[in-house]
Amino acid sequence: MRLPYIIMTLLVASAVSAGAQELRTWQPLRTETIAPGIEMAQSSTAGANVGIIRGDGATVLVDSHIFPTVAESLARALAREGQPVQAVVNTHWHIDHVHGNAAVARVVGPSLDIVAHQTANRDIPDRAPIQLGFWPDFFGRDISGLQDHLAGSDLSEGDRRSALEMEITAKERLATELTHADIAGPTRTFDDRYTLTASGRTIELYHFGRGHTEGDVVVFDPATGVAFTGDFLVGASRYPVEHAAAIERFLALPVRIIVPGHGDVEHGTASAERLLRHLRGIITAVEEGIAAGSGPDDIAAGIPDTEGLFDPAGIARRSYDALTRFETGTFVSHGVELTYALDLPAGDGPFPGMVLGHGSGHRVRTEQVQTAAQWVSRGFAVLRYDKRGVGDSHGHYAGIGVSNSDTMLALLADDMVAAARLLADHPLVDPARLGFHGASQAGWIIPQALVKAPDIQFGVVLVGPAVSVGLENAYSDLAERSETSLEEVYRRFDPANDPGGFDPVPVLRDVRQPLLWIMGGDDRSLPTRTSVANLEPLIAAGAPIALEVFPTGTHGLRDSRTGAFLPVWDTVDRWLEAEGLGR
């Protein structure tokens, strides 16, 4: 059953005249059915959208509106329908999302669960009441404008004047509500992920990282693909570098419908993809400005206004602050100076550490900002560096071929080990909790680095080849930049005809640390099927390798059918937890 319009008792208007029709445009809540059992109660006066997720005889609300009377009316209406509120999930601490918590609790009683990110334990009681001070002023300006309009306009004595007077009266009473900071904080908190069951309905709660606030929560209904995102995607970014990484993780969910904290429902994920592009563009501009020696004001002055972003210059300054919470310098490997940047998470440490390796070609540290942000958001200090002979690093880099692969890949592995030694000596890094991460060509390098540095705790390889350099080249010649079906490619590809070059399999037999290996079944750069065939016997023999293959994954670990990001970081998180690694 769809809820009727919920009209606060102070809006007693029974007429269907033109004046009453005009009044309807600013009533506190109206509901819209989004999917089976899911509705959005939208506010056109003020405050955030409220999500309504119905189970079998119980309801979960997503946020609770800014006006307690509105929240109370909604809770009572649901109770009358036989759908009492079981829980409220707060997407973040802002007052327009949480002020109704206490009102719902008064209706429901002590059984009500209020669920939020763990930071809400601090932010709702400490910060939300302070934010209340903004709203009476907001309504005061609005009321003054309405009063001026009433006094200065040639209104008839009929419905239009009556409607305007009623609107002024109503908003005066609404403003009065915002002088009372009766706010209930969470009864239950979580860190990264939490599953909430409401009368047989399973709802997933995610904290993908800091973004709009420190504790943004996305509420996802797997049965319908509906995601309630609060203000995570509204374009106001307090932690832009981490925000971009968090949006990438969000896009790995199979989201079909987005219900934002403000505004209308969206089918698809275009708003998230657009915000991610905007943030990446600003982050890249800031990175380039830092590399050129520019200060934050000069960099921010060059950031254009961007539709859908609040304060792009401010986002640039915050990106600068985040990106300069890093150290730069050089370390030496085989007599060559390599230039690095060390990204640090918030806090005093000691942090686990991560060294980022490289894919093929001429790779520099600025290309690894987004990957670094993923690890920083997980509490890691991250060292990224320019490949030898590339960017600001000295030495010589030669492309990897059959003839030079043994020598060149061993040298690149030594570079990773030297980077790990530097990281281990940092006063904010725990030397007993270090790992290697890399993609593509790094699949040949990281196993060697782990063998050379047995004190490194673990490795993560994305789309790395577990075949020889010669076989990888032969496969890519058949599949890359080709429209030939992969079935036909594999028919033509002959693993027995190995051109040679470095072979990672003997090295992998000697790896003793946990190693996560993630691949894509539709990879056109390396032969996933042959790599899996090489890895599985090692795993069966007891090698500490965890293998995850996304059947439709490309070399960029996107879904080959839809282009959507795959849930790679969910896999990483589960593996880290299972291995007892990380923070």
Side-chain angles (χ1 to χ4, degrees), residues 47 97 343 386 390 439 454:
H97 297 256
D343 302 278
D386 293 349
V390 181

Side-chain angles (χ1 to χ4, degrees), residues 58-61 74-75 78-79 83-88 104 108 111-112:
T59 299
V60 173
L61 297 183
L74 176 56
L78 288 164
Q83 287 282 151
V85 178
Q86 172 183 318
V88 174
V104 177
V108 176
S111 65
L112 178 70

Side-chain angles (χ1 to χ4, degrees), residues 62 216 302 311 350 471 551 564:
V62 182
D216 294 329
D311 188 20
L471 280 177

